[in-house]
Amino acid sequence: FNIEAVVTKPTTEQEMSSACAYAPIFTVKNKMELDSLIENTEFNSQLAVLIDFGIIVNQKVIDYFPLGIINSHFSLLPELRGADPISFAILEGKDKTGVSLMLLVEAMDEGPILTFGEEVIEKTDTTPTLTGKLIKLSYSLLDHTIPKYLKGEIVPADQNYISEQFSRYVSYTRKLAKNDGVIDWNKTAEQINNEVRAFSGWPKSRTNL
């Protein structure tokens, strides 16, 4: 794809410059700076892609792009909405997770789904290893889905429909805190093992687009 620009946080500016050397890099620290960037910069793109941005995007920014913003979320929505779906997939002992491509809305991870892909969680997976697998899956889904979406070949599906069709129900995650890493020896061995795997390599590196 011809990437017109990359918007990221100052902490990941260098990483994004290496990943996409030909595109201009814009940095924003918060919602206000993002709003100001969109108001004062002319972008010609019909579509934007958001991954692990960590900043609230309001409707005005979403509406700036004629075809909206595709959000790549690392869970099988509507399961594990929120800040840390990868770690919580391990913590909850799930045997699979995945990546969902949805159209961004102001509500938390509630946008209509364009497509999704599943990924098996191995017993040896930790948050970093599972993150790596899901990044590759996300790339593949974006590569195959964006051209079809641009051609109008994909009809987004409401998450309620997805929930009914695949028996996946709404759940939420949060950011893990340091205290979450304290071992509770009253838990089962499996629960403790899941916690160790989820916290292995924590805090995990993040890619912000």
Side-chain angles (χ1 to χ4, degrees):
F1 305 103
N2 178 25
I3 299 176
E4 181 182 18
V6 176
V7 180
T8 191
K9 294 178 181 177
T11 53
T12 51
E13 180 178 9
Q14 185 175 353
E15 181 182 355
M16 293 300 99
S17 296
S18 299
C20 190
Y22 67 85
I25 307 292
F26 298 89
T27 61
V28 295
K29 297 178 182 177
N30 50 46
K31 177 178 176 289
M32 291 180 59
E33 290 190 4
L34 177 61
D35 292 348
S36 177
L37 172 67
I38 295 299
E39 289 174 1
N40 298 292
T41 310
E42 183 177 353
F43 296 111
N44 297 311
S45 297
Q46 295 291 299
L47 174 71
V49 176
L50 182 147
I51 304 175
D52 197 17
F53 192 37
I55 292 175
I56 294 173
V57 179
N58 68 31
Q59 194 62 46
K60 187 175 182 179
V61 174
I62 297 171
D63 293 341
Y64 182 90
F65 301 95
L67 294 176
I69 300 176
I70 293 180
N71 180 204
S72 182
H73 183 77
F74 288 9
S75 81
L76 295 172
L77 291 170
E79 293 180 348
L80 302 180
R81 293 172 175 172
D84 201 348
I86 302 176
S87 296
F88 273 83
I90 296 175
L91 281 171
E92 293 182 8
K94 292 185 177 295
D95 56 9
K96 69 178 179 180
T97 185
V99 173
S100 301
L101 300 187
M102 68 176 174
L103 292 179
L104 193 68
V105 296
E106 281 194 281
M108 182 184 289
D109 301 328
E110 294 182 21
I113 303 296
L114 299 176
T115 191
F116 64 86
E118 297 182 347
E119 183 72 43
V120 173
I121 302 177
E122 304 291 347
K123 292 297 183 182
T124 55
D125 270 326
T126 62
T127 293
T129 64
L130 184 56
T131 299
K133 293 179 181 180
L134 295 177
I135 287 173
K136 291 180 180 179
L137 177 56
S138 174
Y139 288 165
S140 177
L141 290 174
L142 289 167
D143 189 44
H144 287 87
T145 303
I146 290 178
K148 293 181 180 179
Y149 177 63
L150 293 175
K151 293 177 183 177
E153 296 176 357
I154 294 178
V155 178
D158 185 272
Q159 287 197 30
N160 290 329
Y161 172 80
I162 296 293
S163 178
E164 292 172 0
Q165 291 296 308
F166 298 96
S167 299
R168 300 204 301 252
Y169 304 104
V170 175
S171 61
Y172 292 90
T173 70
R174 57 177 172 78
K175 289 185 178 180
L176 290 176
K178 191 172 182 179
N179 287 342
D180 290 319
V182 177
I183 296 176
D184 180 355
W185 296 107
N186 292 315
K187 294 181 178 179
T188 66
E190 183 178 3
Q191 289 174 321
I192 292 173
N193 181 54
N194 289 342
E195 290 177 353
V196 171
R197 289 162 55 214
F199 273 86
S200 179
W202 187 84
K204 64 180 184 292
S205 61
R206 292 183 178 270
T207 301
N208 297 271
L209 296 179

